[in-house]
Amino acid sequence: MATWQGVRPLDEAFWARQGPVQGEVAAGDHLQTSYQLWLVGHQLEGGRKPWRDPYSFQPLLEPRVNFAAWPFGLLYWPLQRALGTVAAWNVFVLLGFVGAGSFAALWLRELRVRRGAALAGGLAFCLAPYLVAQTSAGHLLAWVSMLLALSLFAWERGLHRSPGWLALSAAALVSIPLSGQVHLALGAIPFFLLYTFLRGLARPVAAGAALLAIGAGLLVYFAAIRDTVGAGGRSFAQVERYSAGAEGFVSRDVPSELERFVFLGWATPLLALTGLGVLLAARRFWLAAALGLGAFVPMLLSLGANLPGYETLWRHLPGLELTRVPARLMPVACLCLAALVAFAATRVTWPGTAALVAIVLLLDLRVGLFETAPADEGNRAYAALRTAPPGRVLEIPVFLPDRQEASVYLYSTIQVQREHPSGYSTLAPRRADRELRRLQRAPCTGLEALGVRYVALHAAGPTCGGRLLARDGAVSVYVLR
């Protein structure tokens, strides 16, 4: 249901929202994510450190830590080896929905929700329009969100069974910031503490898990954020650009900036309110408070600049000043709303109630966000580099590190492993940003000092006096003299 608009044969095109077409490939964050996940297996196969990116921004700096590969890079490795990059991505998309729904349903079962209602809650979580939008954009945020559900499931199971489950709960929580999703961690860690402290059991263990997660976030900051173009914080103008409007909670219309898309459905919020009433009537006050606050606070904060007082909070709350998309906390709200829907469904014991709720959710949460993004897997121009002598590649046009078009050059690296000065990251090192700005102005100067021996021309641009090596479609590769 979530991907039906983009469904084609697995290996024909990426199931993702299509960005600008650069050469023969549609740019997008799905290319960046597939590259980051692919690196794990590629590095392990070569006997190298799996957490390093040895190809981007070279030779401008030491290989960067690839936090985004944790933990799903280990899953993506066999998929990519067996199916190829395009099909592996599409299967990974499907597995993301299955994983999110399954972990949410398992958690709800631990909370004594009936099986059918728990499955309905899992469906509400995995099909939450916000998460579908993030998946269609290729943002790992969507996949990492399931780790919060896994953490809560393992926590509940650990309270009554083996303490090893509590360790799994802590590991899942720590993995949220360790995957690079530090903005989501700003909401997930406080919610985990709220939930576990209201639960009233094993509070010291919960506090220890939260401290480990905070430590993981600090590790990511010092290793991947400090000394980058984003280290000085974002401008509040960027926050204003990505702030959602209150009308967005009830509107299926996709805004020009996908990050402002926060649609909740129409029936789903009503079911969630019913579920909140069920919990209050059952005197499960701690759970009602945890789920109610977990749903309401992230929704409120997603309004960003449209919320009075948010700018003051943004400027003074540690870590928040590094963010620019207020809605990145919405996965917490999506999980809590899904749980409340499940409690609404479990209140009615008529046969078929859960199936009816599931049908309502399928209709209510349907959003057409997926497209088929051209892939051009196996471009012959790049393939010619496999047997060419060593040397780095400069892709032209040269894009600044925060430009989505540069994601195409990461995808090309999967096809042919060559170091290149370019890269795609909103947290690019300052030195790389300066050098790429220089190359934008004069792409053919200083290439020898960079060790560049080849120029890959996408569509049009200077050949830098090179000799044509190969051409396929809009991509041409030249050997510098």
Side-chain angles (χ1 to χ4, degrees):
M1 287 292 293
T3 63
W4 71 272
Q5 284 189 311
V7 169
R8 296 290 188 278
L10 278 176
D11 59 353
E12 184 177 296
F14 287 105
W15 297 352
R17 286 184 67 82
Q18 180 175 321
V21 177
Q22 187 65 23
E24 302 290 332
V25 183
D29 286 355
H30 62 285
L31 300 181
Q32 179 192 44
T33 300
S34 60
Y35 170 76
Q36 291 167 331
L37 296 173
W38 162 83
L39 272 173
V40 174
H42 170 72
Q43 289 288 91
L44 285 172
E45 289 173 7
R48 297 177 294 269
K49 297 175 181 178
W51 56 86
R52 292 290 188 182
D53 176 1
Y55 300 112
S56 299
F57 305 122
Q58 297 302 310
L60 306 174
L61 47 103
E62 291 296 316
R64 303 182 74 205
V65 179
N66 178 27
F67 285 106
W70 176 259
F72 297 108
L74 296 172
L75 169 65
Y76 191 79
W77 178 16
L79 290 177
Q80 200 273 340
R81 291 293 291 170
L83 304 174
T85 302
V86 178
W89 171 260
N90 295 335
V91 171
F92 185 65
V93 167
L94 296 176
L95 290 176
F97 290 109
V98 174
S102 298
F103 288 139
L106 287 170
W107 166 50
L108 291 168
R109 288 290 289 159
E110 293 295 320
L111 291 174
R112 305 195 308 275
V113 174
R114 290 186 295 110
R115 181 178 290 106
L119 291 173
L123 187 68
F125 181 53
C126 73
L127 293 185
Y130 178 81
L131 294 180
V132 173
Q134 294 298 309
T135 304
S136 72
H139 295 163
L140 268 172
L141 173 75
W143 287 267
V144 172
S145 297
M146 76 174 73
L147 297 179
L148 179 58
L150 171 59
S151 181
L152 297 177
F153 158 63
W155 180 263
E156 288 294 334
R157 180 154 288 202
L159 292 178
H160 308 293
R161 304 191 186 187
S162 167
W165 287 100
L166 295 180
L168 175 60
S169 176
L173 184 68
V174 168
S175 292
I176 294 175
L178 197 60
S179 69
Q181 298 298 326
V182 290
H183 192 168
L184 174 59
L186 291 176
I189 297 173
F191 174 72
F192 178 83
L193 282 174
L194 172 70
Y195 178 92
T196 53
F197 272 59
L198 289 177
R199 187 77 166 93
L201 298 173
R203 286 173 175 169
V205 179
L211 287 174
L212 287 173
I214 293 171
L218 291 173
L219 173 65
V220 172
Y221 173 78
F222 285 111
I225 300 176
R226 188 180 62 170
D227 297 327
T228 69
V229 292
R234 311 288 188 175
S235 71
F236 197 72
Q238 291 176 301
V239 177
E240 292 174 330
R241 175 183 175 183
Y242 294 114
S243 294
E247 71 283 354
F249 294 124
V250 294
S251 175
R252 291 185 190 273
D253 295 335
V254 181
S256 56
E257 294 288 352
L258 188 66
E259 298 288 10
R260 300 203 306 264
F261 184 73
V262 291
F263 178 58
L264 299 175
W266 297 329
T268 301
L270 296 177
L271 287 170
L273 285 173
T274 303
L276 186 62
V278 168
L279 288 175
L280 292 172
R283 305 183 67 82
R284 299 179 73 174
F285 298 123
W286 76 269
L287 190 53
L291 297 181
L293 289 171
F296 179 71
V297 174
M299 289 168 55
L300 191 67
L301 293 178
S302 71
L303 299 176
N306 297 316
L307 176 68
Y310 183 84
E311 183 174 0
T312 301
L313 182 68
W314 181 83
R315 294 191 184 281
H316 294 93
L317 186 66
L320 196 62
E321 78 282 0
L322 297 173
T323 68
R324 61 175 181 169
V325 184
R328 287 289 171 89
L329 302 179
M330 277 296 292
V332 179
C334 294
L335 182 60
C336 292
L337 289 171
L340 290 171
V341 167
F343 281 105
T346 205
R347 179 66 179 85
V348 181
T349 58
W350 298 337
T353 298
L356 179 61
V357 171
I359 293 172
V360 170
L361 291 173
L362 287 172
L363 296 174
D364 188 47
L365 301 179
R366 179 181 58 81
V367 287
L369 293 169
F370 276 83
E371 301 170 330
T372 51
D376 192 28
E377 190 171 16
N379 183 279
R380 290 189 298 272
Y382 272 99
L385 284 170
R386 294 194 182 104
T387 56
R392 296 189 177 96
V393 180
L394 175 69
E395 295 93 350
I396 296 177
V398 176
F399 293 105
L400 295 183
D402 63 346
R403 294 293 302 176
Q404 192 179 66
E405 291 87 343
S407 63
V408 173
Y409 304 153
L410 298 182
Y411 176 59
S412 301
T413 306
I414 300 177
Q415 300 181 54
V416 180
Q417 291 80 57
R418 296 270 180 163
E419 295 180 6
H420 52 168
S422 67
Y424 175 41
S425 174
T426 56
L427 294 171
R430 291 190 177 95
R431 182 184 175 190
D433 183 73
R434 289 194 300 268
E435 183 63 19
L436 287 171
R437 289 179 185 276
R438 184 192 69 78
L439 286 170
Q440 263 198 334
R441 296 190 298 269
C444 297
T445 61
L447 298 185
E448 185 176 356
L450 294 173
V452 172
R453 187 171 182 177
Y454 303 94
V455 168
L457 195 61
H458 290 247
T463 64
C464 299
R467 170 179 57 83
L468 181 65
L469 175 66
R471 177 180 288 126
D472 185 6
V475 180
S476 304
V477 174
Y478 292 85
V479 184
L480 298 183
R481 303 181 189 280

